[in-house]
Amino acid sequence: MIGEKKIPRILKKPGVIKDAIEISIVLLENKLQLLERNDPDTIVAFKEWFGQDDEGAKGIILERIKRVLRVSKKLSVENFKEINDKKSKTKYAEIYPDDELLMVYLGEEFWIAPITGKDSRCGVLIHELSHLNDIGGTFDYTRGESDCLMLARKDPSDALYNADSFEYFIEI
């Protein structure tokens, strides 16, 4: 429309963050309910991503989902900053595992990722929160769908604490 002013992209970012938080909460709540009910498809996916489906492993993931959910409900736009370091700027995001302020640093990849689905903004948020020591204490043992699936087959104990494996289990 002629004469209509475009809203600068920077002003849209708070809305993008709010959407990612809200939809992440829905994804986590849904996966929590499915896993608590031992939904057959969810158990198949659980074994696919973590290489095991015993009660101990399910307990670890159930507790992690509850903790990420609790923290997600407390998040606001103020918990997010953009990565300014040129070397790290091309990442999706990063977080410091012992950060009590829950600051999530967003990189360029976050802004171009889809809101849901594989490697989504919601998945990025869930992934990063799982790194927090008092939430999930996950690591980046491997990244990417095929490498995570291989990790589950070869080393289920590492898959249980791999941030991307947790992300994929929740978002796919």
Side-chain angles (χ1 to χ4, degrees):
M1 181 182 260
I2 297 176
E4 184 178 311
K5 290 185 178 183
K6 280 189 151 187
I7 297 172
R9 182 176 170 167
I10 192 73
L11 296 179
K12 294 180 182 179
K13 289 183 177 182
V16 169
I17 292 169
K18 287 178 186 176
D19 287 347
I21 294 169
E22 290 172 12
I23 296 170
S24 293
I25 291 169
V26 171
L27 291 173
L28 289 159
E29 288 174 339
N30 288 343
K31 194 61 76 165
L32 178 63
Q33 288 176 4
L34 291 168
L35 192 53
E36 285 177 334
R37 287 194 329 242
N38 284 312
D39 171 72
D41 292 337
T42 302
I43 299 304
V44 168
F46 188 95
K47 184 150 189 172
E48 182 179 38
W49 292 112
F50 302 115
Q52 54 193 321
D53 61 359
D54 60 89
E55 292 304 312
K58 285 193 291 187
I60 289 168
I61 298 302
L62 280 167
E63 188 57 35
R64 185 178 305 146
I65 292 171
K66 290 174 186 175
R67 289 178 180 170
V68 173
L69 192 52
R70 237 183 339 267
V71 168
S72 296
K73 290 178 178 180
K74 295 177 184 176
L75 292 177
S76 71
V77 172
E78 286 74 34
N79 292 100
F80 296 83
K81 292 184 179 179
E82 291 198 54
I83 297 172
N84 292 320
D85 170 17
K86 286 184 181 183
K87 187 175 160 184
S88 299
K89 203 171 186 152
T90 58
K91 293 180 175 183
Y92 282 97
E94 60 187 18
I95 198 167
Y96 298 100
D98 58 354
D99 185 359
E100 293 176 11
L101 298 176
L102 306 173
M103 292 304 301
V104 180
Y105 299 88
L106 303 174
E108 294 170 350
E109 291 296 314
F110 177 84
W111 302 109
I112 59 174
I115 187 69
T116 59
K118 187 174 67 168
D119 298 321
S120 66
R121 291 180 193 140
C122 293
V124 168
L125 178 55
I126 291 164
H127 173 115
E128 294 305 323
L129 292 175
S130 79
H131 282 310
L132 292 168
N133 291 331
D134 57 348
I135 301 297
T138 63
F139 301 95
D140 292 321
Y141 290 123
T142 193
R143 294 179 184 257
E145 186 175 4
S146 61
D147 286 345
C148 288
L149 293 170
M150 185 179 305
L151 180 66
R153 289 189 298 274
K154 295 191 181 249
D155 193 346
S157 60
D158 278 357
L160 201 56
Y161 287 93
N162 187 55
D164 255 13
S165 301
F166 181 67
E167 172 186 342
Y168 289 135
F169 174 67
I170 301 296
E171 74 183 354
I172 296 181

